[in-house]
Amino acid sequence: MAISVLAVIVLVLVVVTLAAAVKSVPQGYEWTQERFGRYQRTLKPGLNLIFPYIDRIGRRVNIMEQVLDVQSQEIITKDNAQVTVDGVMFYQVLDAAKASYEVGNLNQAMLNLTMTNIRTVMGSMDLDELLSQRDSINTRLLRVVDEATEPWGVKITRIEIKDIKPPADLVASMGRQMKAERDKRAVILEAEGLRQAAILRAEGQKQSEILNAEGLRQAAFLAAEARERQAQAEAEATRMVSLAIDAGSVQAINYFVAQKYIDALGQLATSSNQKTLILPLETVGVLGSIQGIAELAAAASGQKR
Amino acid sequence: MDWPTLSHVAPWHWWALAAVLLILEVLVPGVFLVWLGIAAAVLGLLVALLPLGVPLQLLLFGALSVVSILVGRRVLARLPHSAEADQLNRGAARLIGRTVVLTEPIRHGQGRARVGDGVWPVQGADAPAGSTVRIVAVQGTTLLVRPDGAAEALSPDRAGGSEFR
């Protein structure tokens, strides 16, 4: 009977021992094994046996890539703007032993390191740079934090700044600045258009005036030429008349004058204006000219004789 | 209906125990009840074949549990497992064999190289920035490199063996 009790106790001991010795590590984790509290080795995923009683499982380390949210914090930029920034970081434990024993609280350590470095990097930039150069901020952050976490067996694969929120009044000012910028451009464009139009109009005016003047000049030239021609013709006619007089006698002229004279008289007589006052002409003159005609006729007949 | 006592245990008791253990194994996380179940099933067979006293049976049960684990591990190690499993969670070891470009020169054996979209610290023979090196081994987060062309792979870091081999 006693031996049976002993056997039961032994069996229980065996079962407990097995429970302590057989460790199956799930994929994506690595467990550290401690012998009397001292780190011994790292258990890989799968079925593992450890020495019962003297070995313990120390830390269960997640070796998958993980995401940590960097909570939002207030940052003062180089040009004294206060912005609220938050971010996200991705990291992976590459050395389970180092991540377990080289650093007390890995997540907290990494978060604090990242947050202080975000302050450092962003504090050295002004607001416009901050909003436009996220890429370089991420790169600088990653570099610093990654180097700092090397001794902890951790690889920081990515740090991204998620949101940069300037205070509301600053955002409003930025909006106003943007609007003013656009307005300025619009006004400048309008003025430019007006200027161009005015220039074009003036050009047109100038051209038309030039053309006008040219027309007038040509016309004047032509008119002068015409006068010249007329004068020449008159001179020619006068010369011919004087030649004719030279060849004949003065009476020829008298004939012409008389003819005109009488024509004029006839016109005055047929004038519809009855009030026309006919000044008495020198009848003698008229008769004289008639006489001249008679003399002409006589001379002509005399010559015939 | 005969319940097992300290003076009499029938083979079917062991088989019932084996079934209960296997059921528990499925329901409760932690892979160690399966070995006890296997031991109980084998012991049931032995009890059916040989006349054994109850204390001896109990001790045998304990012994068989240990044996089943040791044998089970061997068998499992022999079984082919998928190649994909070996490619998972290898940390930096997955980079071994890749050629990378130095972003900073290696001076006094220390430098940095661009791998994918990240930058890793490297150790190796001195080389100027921009030169190509091949990753031959990994130490924690540091990559051991040698100039590309001298592609003589070092053995990767120690395999975690068991103390029970």
Side-chain angles (χ1 to χ4, degrees):
Chain A
M1 194 70 202
I3 195 153
S4 294
V5 173
L6 179 66
V8 168
I9 291 169
V10 168
L11 177 59
V12 170
L13 177 69
V14 166
V15 169
V16 169
T17 305
L18 283 182
V22 179
K23 298 289 173 194
S24 52
V25 180
Q27 183 74 51
Y29 287 82
E30 283 183 0
W31 293 0
T32 60
Q33 172 197 327
E34 297 169 356
R35 179 158 300 170
F36 296 119
R38 188 169 186 273
Y39 169 74
Q40 183 76 20
R41 68 192 178 102
T42 302
L43 304 180
K44 302 274 181 226
L47 185 62
N48 286 275
L49 292 183
I50 60 175
F51 265 118
Y53 320 121
I54 61 169
D55 286 347
R56 287 273 157 78
I57 295 300
R59 304 278 158 81
R60 294 166 164 81
V61 183
N62 186 339
I63 56 164
M64 300 180 251
E65 193 162 329
Q66 290 169 84
V67 188
L68 268 181
D69 261 324
V70 183
Q71 65 260 44
S72 63
Q73 50 173 342
E74 299 260 306
I75 286 170
I76 296 181
T77 59
K78 193 173 165 185
D79 50 355
N80 295 329
Q82 199 176 43
V83 292
T84 311
V85 175
D86 62 349
V88 63
M89 61 189 294
F90 295 77
Y91 71 96
Q92 187 171 21
V93 175
L94 294 182
D95 193 324
K98 280 184 177 172
S100 306
Y101 304 112
E102 291 283 1
V103 57
N105 186 337
L106 183 65
N107 278 13
Q108 204 193 341
M110 285 193 305
L111 269 179
N112 278 306
L113 192 64
T114 309
M115 283 173 76
T116 49
N117 272 297
I118 286 177
R119 278 172 187 276
T120 308
V121 171
M122 292 196 166
S124 66
M125 295 176 144
D126 46 35
L127 184 63
D128 289 343
E129 279 181 319
L130 208 70
L131 294 169
S132 61
Q133 301 190 0
R134 292 196 181 201
D135 243 7
S136 75
I137 295 174
N138 291 344
T139 314
R140 279 171 70 183
L141 274 178
L142 182 61
R143 195 199 153 96
V144 176
V145 178
D146 192 28
E147 274 182 28
T149 54
E150 255 169 54
W152 305 339
V154 174
K155 182 76 195 165
I156 313 280
T157 47
R158 227 170 250 101
I159 297 180
E160 302 279 345
I161 298 297
K162 270 203 299 203
D163 214 358
I164 300 178
K165 275 206 210 83
D169 51 349
L170 204 59
V171 174
S173 305
M174 279 150 95
R176 277 213 310 279
Q177 185 192 341
M178 190 83 192
K179 189 169 171 293
E181 193 79 40
R182 310 249 153 189
D183 285 351
K184 175 185 156 193
R185 254 189 274 171
V187 170
I188 288 175
L189 277 173
E190 223 165 288
E192 189 76 28
L194 286 173
R195 174 170 165 264
Q196 293 257 17
I199 288 173
L200 283 171
R201 260 203 300 276
E203 282 271 327
Q205 186 104 19
K206 177 183 161 196
Q207 287 280 2
S208 83
E209 275 177 14
I210 286 173
L211 285 171
N212 259 339
E214 286 215 324
L216 286 172
R217 176 165 165 265
Q218 286 209 2
F221 267 97
L222 289 171
E225 210 172 315
R227 272 207 308 279
E228 208 176 311
R229 299 276 315 142
Q230 206 176 346
Q232 273 179 0
E234 265 172 21
E236 188 69 22
T238 312
R239 195 174 58 82
M240 282 169 81
V241 168
S242 22
L243 279 178
I245 291 169
D246 217 21
S249 83
V250 171
Q251 297 307 336
I253 294 198
N254 280 344
Y255 163 79
F256 278 115
V257 173
Q259 216 177 18
K260 291 261 188 213
Y261 212 106
I262 290 186
D263 278 353
L265 278 179
Q267 270 179 359
L268 284 171
T270 58
S271 164
S272 57
N273 198 342
Q274 292 301 318
K275 289 177 182 169
T276 308
L277 191 68
I278 303 175
L279 292 173
L281 295 163
E282 272 186 51
T283 339
V284 183
V286 177
L287 291 176
S289 55
I290 292 172
Q291 193 187 350
I293 298 169
E295 277 177 21
L296 260 178
S301 59
Q303 273 175 353
K304 273 187 181 171
R305 264 186 239 137
Chain B
M1 199 63 218
D2 55 343
W3 287 100
T5 63
L6 283 182
S7 55
H8 165 73
V9 182
W12 72 266
H13 289 144
W14 288 114
W15 290 329
L17 177 66
V20 168
L21 286 171
L22 289 177
I23 289 166
L24 283 176
E25 173 61 55
V26 173
L27 298 181
V28 181
V31 194
F32 100 102
L33 293 177
V34 62
W35 310 114
L36 299 184
I38 292 170
V42 172
L43 187 63
L45 199 65
L46 285 181
V47 171
L49 295 176
L50 309 167
L52 297 170
V54 174
L56 190 58
Q57 286 185 24
L58 293 176
L59 292 179
L60 265 176
F61 178 53
L64 276 174
S65 303
V66 175
V67 168
S68 75
I69 285 185
L70 296 179
V71 171
R73 274 185 84 244
R74 286 288 154 82
V75 172
L76 285 177
R78 296 258 168 71
L79 284 179
H81 52 274
S82 73
E84 280 125 17
D86 292 342
Q87 297 304 314
L88 277 173
N89 301 119
R90 290 176 59 215
R94 70 183 187 280
L95 302 173
I96 290 173
R98 275 173 104 174
T99 51
V100 293
V101 177
L102 294 179
T103 55
E104 286 172 31
I106 303 183
R107 285 204 202 98
H108 313 299
Q110 306 286 334
R112 294 175 79 79
R114 170 163 292 280
V115 184
D117 67 343
V119 178
W120 291 63
V122 298
Q123 273 183 16
D126 286 13
S131 56
T132 312
V133 291
R134 183 179 292 276
I135 301 169
V136 291
V138 176
Q139 267 181 359
T141 55
T142 307
L143 309 173
L144 306 184
V145 299
R146 54 180 52 191
D148 191 27
E152 180 198 329
L154 295 177
S155 60
D157 50 350
R158 52 187 168 56
S162 145
E163 334 236 315
F164 277 89
R165 291 244 164 99

